[in-house]
Structure formats: C-alpha cells, structure tokens
Amino acid sequence: SQQGEEDPQALSIQEGENATMNCSYKTSINNLQWYRQNSGRGLVHLILIRSNEREKHSGRLRVTLDTSKKSSSLLITASRAADTASYFCATDAWGAGSYQLTFGKGTKLSVIP
Amino acid sequence: KAGVTQTPRYLIKTRGQQVTLSCSPISGHRSVSWYQQTPGQGLQFLFEYFSETQRNKGNFPGRFSGRQFSNSRSEMNVSTLELGDSALYLCASSLNGVGDNEQFFGPGTRLTVL
C-alpha cells in the first residue's frame, strides 16, 4: 500500500493565491521529499525535510513536518500558472524487506491565470 | 552537468515479448533506481542499483530485472510482457541512494503493450 497519501487529490486556485497540499504517511521515516511532475519537465525534486526538522523553506515553498501526526504539508505562496502540475510526497521506509522511496498518488494543482 | 537520460522514449511491444530500457545517470552518481508509473497504481519502486549491485527491490515479479554497469549506466528488462506492464518507466539517479538524497529523474520511457 502507498506509504504517503496526499490530500486533496485535486486543487484549483487563481493565480496569486496560496496552495496547500497535505501528505500523511504510516510508518517512521528518515526523510520526506516533495516532487513536482508536469508534462514539460518530468518529475522534479522540490525539497527534502529530515525527520528531525519541523519546517523548511525554499523560495515560494514552505514544507512542514509533524512526525507525531505522521503528516507533512507543502505550501506554495503567490502561485503562478507555471505551478500547474501534480505534486507528490515521497517517504523513505522499509517495505517488503527493502529500503525504498514510496510515493503518494499526488495532488493535481491547477493554477488559473 | 547533463541530466539523467533514458532511451528509448517510446516503445510499443506485444504481449509475450521482452523489452530492455536504458538509463544513463548524472555523472558521479552511483545509485540508479527504477520506478513504474501508472494512472491506477501511481509511482511504484522497482529496484535500486548501487555500484553494480542490486541494493533494494520493490514488490514486482521476477519478470522485472535490471543491472548496472561499471560506468553506473543501468538497464531494466521486462520479460514475457503483459498488458498491465503498459506504463511510464522512470529512472532516477542520486549520489548515495534512495531516501537520503534528492533523486534526479529522467524523462521516462513510455511503454505500450498491445
């Protein structure tokens, strides 16, 4: 089963608004990563947050991690049409006797100009 | 630095055939991971190779196999293709392996099985 689950599955906002996506996971992790995928640029790494960190910023992105609730959120501020993409959280964990990066099914973000 | 490259970009095969996909990682990266992406199952981890050894493996049948060469280039093979193997296959490279580092993904190979 998927380790990470994003919420909502789809989100539509106006350009300039903020977008918040959430991710929940099931087992203990070392790190949590967020990726973006669109048809033009493929899957691109956005940010990595370690289990001992609570918040991290990168440009217009802000990621929080709450290990007690096993959840993370990604905030994109002042969204642009170019932010239209699917966003995935990925957690590292042991699964089926193997260490792997497990992705959620993603949040599809549409930013309307 | 050049990014991760994958060949071919598109592939059409028929059931029962076998296919080999290729991935060239970023120079200096020793870890190459493979993922299958489908609309129904999302992104699923296939396996990871590090310094020519399979280090981690996802929950896929033995029809899916791979290898890594001394220059870190990797190939993935799928034998006895099934309709359900139609997917986007992505490879990713990183310095030290999954989880600990940013993964750099290639553009993917779109496999269609007829």
Side-chain angles (χ1 to χ4, degrees):
Chain A
S1 62
Q2 296 286 349
Q3 162 77 324
E5 295 289 341
E6 289 91 344
D7 169 59
Q9 290 186 339
L11 181 62
S12 184
I13 60 173
Q14 296 289 328
E15 202 166 30
E17 293 181 335
N18 295 341
T20 299
M21 288 158 267
N22 302 297
C23 168
S24 60
Y25 56 91
K26 297 174 183 173
T27 64
S28 296
I29 61 170
N30 293 318
N31 308 296
L32 184 143
Q33 303 181 43
W34 284 91
Y35 287 82
R36 178 182 66 210
Q37 185 178 37
N38 58 30
S39 56
R41 291 198 59 196
L43 201 63
V44 175
H45 179 267
L46 295 175
I47 200 164
L48 181 153
I49 186 166
R50 302 196 184 279
S51 59
N52 62 354
E53 297 175 310
R54 291 296 167 257
E55 189 171 312
K56 207 161 182 180
H57 296 254
S58 177
R60 294 184 296 111
L61 307 179
R62 174 183 163 236
V63 168
T64 61
L65 179 64
D66 188 334
T67 52
S68 66
K69 293 182 180 177
K70 292 186 170 59
S71 67
S72 173
S73 68
L74 170 67
L75 168 68
I76 304 173
T77 60
S79 63
R80 306 166 182 169
D83 295 328
T84 294
S86 290
Y87 291 81
F88 299 89
C89 69
T91 53
D92 60 331
W94 284 95
S98 184
Y99 188 68
Q100 57 186 274
L101 196 63
T102 304
F103 286 79
K105 292 205 172 180
T107 292
K108 192 169 184 178
L109 173 66
S110 298
V111 181
I112 303 164
Chain B
K1 277 186 178 178
V4 178
T5 58
Q6 291 186 246
T7 56
R9 293 292 310 276
Y10 301 91
L11 207 48
I12 299 175
K13 292 284 186 178
T14 56
R15 278 182 299 175
Q17 287 187 311
Q18 68 98 25
V19 67
T20 299
L21 312 181
S22 180
C23 172
S24 292
I26 290 172
S27 178
H29 285 188
R30 294 183 296 171
S31 168
V32 173
S33 300
W34 287 90
Y35 297 83
Q36 181 196 65
Q37 186 175 28
T38 60
Q41 297 299 316
L43 274 153
Q44 293 187 287
F45 174 77
L46 280 155
F47 30 65
E48 180 209 5
Y49 283 86
F50 186 89
S51 294
E52 301 180 65
T53 302
Q54 187 181 85
R55 188 161 71 170
N56 290 293
K57 188 178 188 303
N59 191 26
F60 276 80
R63 300 186 297 108
F64 293 81
S65 63
R67 59 178 175 167
Q68 187 179 33
F69 302 95
S70 58
N71 61 358
S72 292
R73 190 178 70 85
S74 177
E75 287 182 348
M76 189 192 106
N77 185 75
V78 188
S79 62
T80 319
L81 283 166
E82 301 176 358
L83 294 178
D85 297 333
S86 293
L88 180 66
Y89 289 89
L90 295 162
C91 84
S93 77
S94 68
L95 279 169
N96 295 317
V98 297
D100 195 46
N101 302 120
E102 170 183 356
Q103 302 286 302
F104 292 84
F105 282 84
T109 294
R110 174 77 62 185
L111 172 64
T112 302
V113 182
L114 303 175

